[in-house]
Amino acid sequence: MFNNLIQEVDNLSSFKHYGKVSQVVGLMIESKGPRVSVGDICYILVGKTKPFRKIMVEVVGFRDENVLLMPFDATTEIAPGSLVEATNKPLQIKIGTSLVGQVVDGLGRPLDHTELKNGLTNFPTDNTPPNPLKRPRITEALSLGIRAIDGLFTVGKGQRIGIFAGSGVGKSTLMAMIAKNSEADINVIALIGERGREVRDFVERDLNEDGLKNTIVVVATSDQPALMRIKGAMTATAIAEFFRNQGLNVNLMMDSVTRVAMAQREIGLAVGEPPTTKGYTPSVFATLPKLLERSGTNEYGTITAFYTVLVDGDDLNEPIADTVRGILDGHLVLDRKLANKGQFPAINVLTSISRLMNDLVTPEHKLAADKVRNYLSQYYDSEDLISIGAYKRGTNKDLDEAIKLYPQVINYIKQDLHEQITIDDAVRHLISEFGGQ
C-alpha cells in the first residue's frame, strides 16, 4: 500500500493543464485545448463565483484541432470560455466488498448519496477482454434455480447468454429470479436506460432483501446523458471483473444491451459518424464485442453473463439482436404469446439454445431434454388441428404421445416466482418424467 502511494505521488504533475470551451451543440462540447487523449476525464468549471462547480466530461474525439467532450451530467451553466481542466487519466471507480448490497450510479457512487467506505480499490472501467488462450474451458454447470433453464438449457460457469424479448414479457422478473436462486458467489445487475420509476420497483419488489444481500445494482436511467448510460454498462462489467479476479463465480446481468447500443449511437452521431443499418453507427458494432467479450472465464474465476436484448416489435432479426446473438454462447427467447397464456417464464423452448449444454450434461439428461423439444415441436405443428378438433387420435403415434404429455411439459416449464429449486432437482424431474418415454 505504501509503495503504491509513493508511486501515485511520483506520477503527479506539478502543473494543471486547461483549455476553453468554444462551442456546445446538442450533446457535444468543443474546446480549445487542453492537451489530452481519447478516453481521458476532464472537468469543466462553471459558475460565476468560487468555488466553481465541476462538470465531469470525457474526451471522445477531435475535430479541426478542437477537443470533443461528452458530459456525464447536464450541461447547464456552461458558457463560452468556461475553463476545461485536464486530469490526464481515464475513468476509474472504487470497488470492494463493502459495495455488496448497494445501489450505485454509472460512476460507482451510491445512489442514496451516502459516503463510500474506506478500503476500496481504484479500478479502471474500460478493460481489455481476457487472452483467448488463457480462458479455461467451461466444464461445470451453474445452478440458476430456474427449472426450465437448468433442465432444458443448462448454463455453464462463465457462459454468456442473451435474453431476447419485447417489452413487458418478463425479462426483469427473470433476472431477479436468477439473482435470488443462483448458486453464484455474487451478482452484479446493470439497469441501463430504465425508467426511474422501475428502479425502486425492481430493487424492493422483484429483488427484495434476499436478492440484494449478495448483489450490486448499477443504475443509469433513461434521462441521463448517453455517456452515463455507456459508463453504467462499463462500470457493471468492471465490478464483475474485479470480483472474478478474486477467484469468485460472478453473475453479471445487464438490462439491456439494446439501450447501450442506442446510447453509443447517440454519441457516434454527435461526433459525426455516418449512420448505417437502422441509424446505428459503425462504433456501435465495434463497441458491442469489446463489452460482451469481457465477461466469461479467466485464470482466476468466472463471469456468467446474461444480457437482455429489447427486440423492436418482437423482431429477432433486427441489427442489435442479430449482432449480439452471433457473439454470445446461447440465447433464451421470451415469447409474448406464451406470456399472454400465463406461462412464466415465457421461454420459447423451440427457438432458444445453449451452445454449451452438450458439454455439460449426461447423455440421459440430453436425451430427456431433446424429447421435450420434440414433443413441443410435434404439438405446435398441429396445434390448429388439435384446437378445432380436426385431429383424430391414432393417426400419428408420435403426435398422440405429444398431446398426452403436453400438460406435463408445460407444468415443467412453468415456475412460480417464489419457487426455489436446484439444478439436481430440475434434472431429476426431467429424467423421471420424460427420460423413459
Side-chain angles (χ1 to χ4, degrees):
M1 177 71 81
F2 190 64
N3 290 335
N4 289 340
L5 290 174
I6 293 174
Q7 189 175 358
E8 285 285 332
V9 172
D10 288 341
N11 290 337
L12 288 175
S13 171
S14 55
F15 298 96
K16 282 191 175 180
H17 300 276
Y18 291 92
K20 285 188 176 182
V21 172
S22 59
Q23 183 173 249
V24 178
V25 180
L27 303 174
M28 191 59 58
I29 303 165
E30 287 192 25
S31 72
K32 300 280 188 185
R35 186 177 178 182
V36 286
S37 304
V38 171
D40 282 357
I41 297 298
C42 297
Y43 293 98
I44 299 179
L45 309 184
V46 297
K48 294 181 172 58
T49 57
K50 292 185 179 180
F52 297 121
R53 188 168 73 89
K54 291 185 174 183
I55 295 177
M56 185 186 289
V57 293
E58 182 176 298
V59 180
V60 295
F62 306 96
R63 180 187 294 146
D64 298 330
E65 298 186 5
N66 286 348
V67 181
L68 302 181
L69 307 163
M70 291 284 286
F72 287 95
D73 206 345
T75 56
T76 52
E77 296 188 85
I78 295 178
S82 293
L83 289 179
V84 180
E85 180 184 313
T87 66
N88 297 313
K89 290 181 180 178
L91 178 65
Q92 290 193 331
I93 56 171
K94 292 184 178 293
I95 308 178
T97 53
S98 61
L99 273 187
V100 178
Q102 296 250 33
V103 181
V104 300
D105 67 7
L107 302 179
R109 304 172 300 196
L111 272 186
D112 57 6
H113 301 296
T114 57
E115 292 292 325
L116 288 171
K117 295 181 180 177
N118 294 329
L120 300 178
T121 305
N122 285 329
F123 198 76
T125 60
D126 195 358
N127 301 301
T128 57
N131 185 318
L133 293 181
K134 291 186 177 180
R135 286 184 184 266
R137 294 188 61 203
I138 298 170
T139 56
E140 189 177 351
L142 176 69
S143 176
L144 299 178
I146 298 176
R147 188 167 47 240
I149 301 177
D150 286 342
L152 302 176
F153 308 102
T154 309
V155 173
K157 292 180 180 178
Q159 188 171 348
R160 299 161 306 152
I161 293 284
I163 301 175
F164 293 74
S167 56
V169 188
K171 298 186 302 298
S172 297
T173 310
L174 186 62
M175 283 172 38
M177 284 183 69
I178 292 172
K180 287 188 285 188
N181 299 342
S182 168
E183 65 176 14
D185 299 315
I186 191 168
N187 301 298
V188 181
I189 301 178
L191 303 178
I192 309 299
E194 285 284 354
R195 305 173 188 88
R197 174 190 63 79
E198 290 184 335
V199 173
R200 192 164 182 177
D201 283 351
F202 177 80
V203 172
E204 295 184 1
R205 182 194 63 201
D206 296 336
L207 203 56
N208 64 48
E209 288 184 9
D210 290 338
L212 192 59
K213 65 185 178 184
N214 69 328
T215 299
I216 301 170
V217 182
V218 181
V219 175
T221 51
S222 58
D223 60 293
Q224 293 182 313
L227 189 61
M228 195 66 159
R229 282 173 270 148
I230 292 282
K231 289 302 174 186
M234 297 289 188
T235 294
T237 306
I239 293 172
E241 288 171 326
F242 174 84
F243 287 107
R244 176 179 63 184
N245 292 343
Q246 311 302 310
L248 300 180
N249 295 314
V250 184
N251 269 355
L252 170 64
M253 288 166 272
M254 190 175 295
D255 184 15
S256 73
V257 173
T258 306
R259 295 192 179 108
V260 175
M262 289 176 175
Q264 183 61 44
R265 176 173 63 183
E266 286 182 44
I267 294 173
L269 291 173
V271 172
E273 286 187 70
T276 54
T277 313
K278 282 205 172 180
Y280 289 105
T281 58
S283 63
V284 173
F285 301 102
T287 299
L288 287 176
K290 289 179 183 177
L291 177 64
L292 304 182
E293 286 287 350
R294 286 169 60 182
S295 54
T297 61
N298 73 357
E299 58 265 45
Y300 307 111
T302 66
I303 298 175
T304 307
F306 299 86
Y307 298 100
T308 71
V309 180
L310 185 64
V311 289
D312 294 333
D314 297 326
D315 177 16
L316 294 174
N317 294 315
E318 60 97 24
I320 299 305
D322 203 37
T323 301
V324 171
R325 191 166 55 238
I327 297 170
L328 300 180
D329 308 317
H331 54 271
L332 303 172
V333 178
L334 303 188
D335 194 317
R336 190 177 301 279
K337 291 180 181 178
L338 298 178
N340 292 340
K341 291 178 181 179
Q343 178 181 317
F344 182 83
I347 298 172
N348 188 325
V349 173
L350 301 180
T351 55
S352 304
I353 190 172
S354 169
R355 294 180 181 173
L356 295 177
M357 179 175 175
N358 291 348
D359 298 334
L360 302 171
V361 302
T362 62
E364 293 82 10
H365 181 177
K366 181 179 181 300
L367 180 63
D370 287 343
K371 284 185 176 180
V372 168
R373 292 190 190 91
N374 185 49
Y375 293 144
L376 281 176
S377 178
Q378 293 265 2
Y379 185 89
Y380 288 144
D381 285 346
S382 304
E383 188 172 20
D384 291 341
L385 293 175
I386 298 167
S387 299
I388 64 175
Y391 174 73
K392 293 183 179 180
R393 289 182 181 272
T395 306
N396 184 320
K397 181 182 176 183
D398 292 336
L399 183 54
D400 288 345
E401 190 73 12
I403 295 170
K404 174 186 171 185
L405 293 174
Y406 179 73
Q408 290 175 241
V409 172
I410 296 304
N411 285 335
Y412 181 82
I413 296 172
K414 278 186 175 182
Q415 184 171 335
D416 185 76
L417 296 180
H418 305 292
E419 184 181 355
Q420 294 187 346
I421 63 165
T422 65
I423 189 170
D424 292 335
D425 295 334
V427 174
R428 194 180 304 114
H429 186 177
L430 180 73
I431 294 175
S432 65
E433 288 214 12
F434 308 105
Q437 302 294 334

